[in-house]
Amino acid sequence: MAESRTPDEVVARAARATDLADLDGAVSDCFACPRLVTWREEVARVKRAAFRDQEYWGRPVPGFGVPDARIAILGLAPAAHGGNRIGRIFTGDRSGDVLFAALHRAGLANQPTSVAADDGLVVRGTRIFAAVRCAPPDNKPTPAERDTCAPWLHREVALIRPTLRVVVALGAFAWAAWWPVLRAVYGVRPPSPRPAFGHGAHWSGTSAPALLGCYHVSQQNTFTGRLTPGMLDDVFARAKQLAGVD
């Protein structure tokens, strides 16, 4: 598979993806953002002491979930020692522990943990992906990196468009990343002014999926009590209702 090394190559390769498996493979071969490539590979080489005996993925992290998803969960980017280590989004870190426990309580995952790519995790009616597919330094992608990565997100949404009914945006970055999808995938002009992000925020259009805001499942939010299990449960209950998932 040809690697993508420039923004134009990302646009072209994303557009050619015929299904999610093809897209996932193309995402994994992206080298278009030099700063992110350097960082993800350095993290994979140096490693965290607790994982020094493991081989890190060290590449962009594709989406995870079913092709007929009615619910999408949009995050910011993979964690340096989570998705960047395992190769599956929200796997092997504290954020994933919180997210998949909530999905399990909601009946959207078969188990409450996500620790390895072969751990048997299955999600129901759900697709999970990030606005930026590489782990960024300090969890802060630049605007240029966000825009370079956007075609992967746009194509992934296009591929699940026939069934997609609601998107849960984890954090303000993901909330902002959704608006360009409306124009690129649905041909819909984003609302102006943009609705403000907040936990439980809800926007609905006429020909695009509903959008729900949720505080990010980061340790900063969960350890301080800004985001509680009950708050997550409320968001996913609302997502299931909007998506028509029992």
Side-chain angles (χ1 to χ4, degrees):
M1 180 176 294
E3 297 174 348
S4 299
R5 292 189 173 272
T6 69
D8 287 345
E9 288 174 351
V10 171
V11 171
R13 184 61 189 88
R16 292 199 306 271
T18 57
D19 56 26
L20 288 174
D22 186 19
L23 180 70
D24 291 349
V27 166
S28 300
D29 276 329
C30 187
F31 294 82
C33 298
R35 189 183 76 112
L36 297 186
V37 172
T38 298
W39 173 251
R40 79 193 191 203
E41 293 181 353
E42 179 182 354
V43 169
R45 183 179 66 257
V46 176
K47 305 180 181 180
R48 178 172 285 174
F51 309 127
R52 61 181 176 271
D53 296 328
Q54 297 184 20
E55 182 177 351
Y56 274 54
W57 171 254
R59 302 175 75 89
V61 180
F64 171 70
V66 297
D68 57 348
R70 298 181 70 86
I71 299 170
I73 300 172
L74 176 59
L76 190 162
H81 301 282
N84 189 59
R85 173 171 60 93
I86 300 296
R88 190 171 72 193
I89 193 69
F90 283 113
T91 296
D93 60 33
R94 294 290 180 87
S95 295
D97 292 343
V98 173
L99 176 61
F100 284 104
L103 291 177
H104 183 255
R105 292 193 301 272
L108 297 173
N110 68 323
Q111 61 191 44
T113 57
S114 177
V115 296
D118 59 354
D119 62 4
L121 177 67
V122 177
V123 293
R124 181 174 73 91
T126 304
R127 183 81 180 173
I128 307 168
F129 39 65
V132 174
R133 304 305 169 102
C134 290
D138 300 319
N139 291 320
K140 294 180 180 178
T142 67
E145 289 162 352
R146 174 202 63 204
D147 295 345
T148 296
C149 210
W152 301 127
L153 171 62
H154 297 171
R155 185 57 180 156
E156 190 154 6
V157 173
L159 289 169
I160 63 174
R161 176 179 176 174
T163 57
L164 184 61
R165 297 295 177 267
V166 59
V167 176
V168 177
L170 298 179
F173 189 96
W175 180 267
W178 176 252
W179 305 119
V181 178
L182 293 181
R183 190 183 301 276
V185 178
Y186 294 91
V188 173
R189 178 179 298 176
S192 181
R194 303 287 191 267
F197 170 76
H199 186 82
H202 176 201
W203 174 85
S204 289
T206 57
S207 58
L211 179 66
L212 292 178
C214 178
Y215 289 149
H216 196 279
V217 288
S218 65
Q219 293 184 58
Q220 180 180 358
N221 287 335
T222 58
F223 282 10
T224 61
R226 186 172 189 243
L227 178 64
T228 66
M231 292 167 68
L232 270 174
D233 292 347
D234 289 345
V235 167
F236 286 123
R238 180 63 171 148
K240 289 177 64 178
Q241 179 186 41
L242 291 169
V245 174
D246 297 329

